[in-house]
Amino acid sequence: MLPDIKGMCPFVEDSFSRFPSQSNIYGLCRAGEQELLAATLKGKVVCFRYQDLQRKIRPVAREIQFTYIPVDAEIVSIDAFNKSAPKRGLVVGITFIKDSGDKATPFLNIYCDYEPGSEFNLESIARCIVEMDPVRLCFSSVGMISAYIFTKSVLWLNVLSIDQNRRLTTFGCQNGSVGLSLVNQKGPEILQNWRVQHDSPISTVLLFPSKQQHQSNDTNSSQMETFNLLVTSAIEMAVVYRDVEQYGLSKQLCLAESDQCDAVLCALVVDLDFDGQHELLLGTYGQDLLCYKFHQPMGAFEDKLQLLWKRSFKSPLLSLIYLDLDGDGLRELAVLTLKGLHVLQHSLRTTADLVLHRLSTLASRLPTSSKDQPIKNQDSEESISISNEQRTSTT
């Protein structure tokens, strides 16, 4: 049996990098496979990665000098994505505001290096500006197309392809409005639209799939994939709209206690305990990281969201990213706070116990003949080796 870790955070802090000035909820992005870019309000961009230094893997945070960003500029957001195949290279977008005296002017800089061998080199990319425009940036990858969405009232946008021809698009606005659309990508054509009004600014909207047990007429149960929408806001409890493809924004499930830690500023939906089911992470201005998971109480027809654990930090949480930074095959949780970047790693003891438990479970399910087969093969190989040695000796 695995140890009961309910109420305990399965992460341990590996490193903390303090920044020269504070960031914001749009200030962290993934850059390639094992790097992060964090932007601060005072015009600085920091690259975080793990490097092999003196035969040890150590975290390294260094400043990247992006060209054409004035010293007195205030960075609003940063994002990055890889070019669609067959092209290669990393594209970085930075939005900033420059005070021109009478009024502040917004700018967008896009960086990309076309020189062979430098397409993923951040130092080289930072010197190659592609375009400048006075707009605000939000990147979203939609299949093979990278689209830029520019607007003043939308605070967050998320897109999820549900099959080859259709996608779900959702957005959350400063006035509390949440929109959801089902789109035929071949048209393009909007098949359905849903709208709902919340009472405070929307901080995050995230679409994610989940597996649900479906009971058929012949009493045989099967798993059916549905698509859900997580919505967090500044004042209200975070909510999940269930099976939005069928019910739109009418079937709501609240995340209890999510309004007890001040405003929710960021969210993430990932499988943290490796059981194939998603956990919901909420980062709050109240300096707490909350983790929720779906569970179905005894005798209940529908599952609910239960608060699994809570972890406190020393400053408000702004952004969350889950990726493998050190290349060991196990992903880390990067937490951007008002003071800097925390990197949390899975507890190796808990992870090792989980691996051993699953290996023993798989081994117990193997038939007896399958278990003995490797031994028989080994015995036959040894007998062949002995016969060859005897034959050589005789010769």
Side-chain angles (χ1 to χ4, degrees), residues 330-354:
L330 200 61
R331 287 188 282 183
E332 285 76 38
L333 180 64
V335 181
L336 179 67
T337 67
L338 210 60
K339 299 290 183 63
L341 181 67
H342 297 261
V343 176
L344 309 182
Q345 291 186 334
H346 284 277
S347 170
L348 295 182
R349 165 179 272 180
T350 304
T351 307
D353 290 344
L354 177 62

Side-chain angles (χ1 to χ4, degrees), residues 294-340:
F294 288 102
H295 82 291
Q296 189 166 353
M298 292 292 294
F301 293 100
E302 294 186 349
D303 50 5
K304 298 184 179 298
L305 279 165
Q306 178 185 10
L307 179 61
L308 286 186
W309 50 262
K310 178 167 66 172
R311 181 190 178 105
S312 296
F313 291 78
K314 294 184 178 180
S315 59
L317 280 65
L318 302 176
S319 184
L320 303 169
I321 292 183
Y322 189 54
L323 80 165
D324 183 9
L325 283 166
D326 54 12
D328 63 351
L330 200 61
R331 287 188 282 183
E332 285 76 38
L333 180 64
V335 181
L336 179 67
T337 67
L338 210 60
K339 299 290 183 63

Side-chain angles (χ1 to χ4, degrees), residues 7 61 78 99 103 111 178 184 190 201 205 209 218 224 248 258 279 318:
I78 185 170
D99 191 356
K103 62 177 182 177
Y111 301 87
V178 175
N184 177 10
I190 297 178
V205 287
D218 56 358
M224 181 177 62
S258 59
E279 283 79 43
L318 302 176

Side-chain angles (χ1 to χ4, degrees), residues 106 139 145 187 205 284 304 360:
F139 281 126
I145 303 172
V205 287
T284 69
K304 298 184 179 298
S360 62

Side-chain angles (χ1 to χ4, degrees), residues 146-159:
S146 296
Y148 309 133
I149 310 299
F150 308 102
T151 180
K152 291 184 178 180
S153 61
V154 173
L155 300 181
W156 207 268
L157 172 83
N158 191 231
V159 179

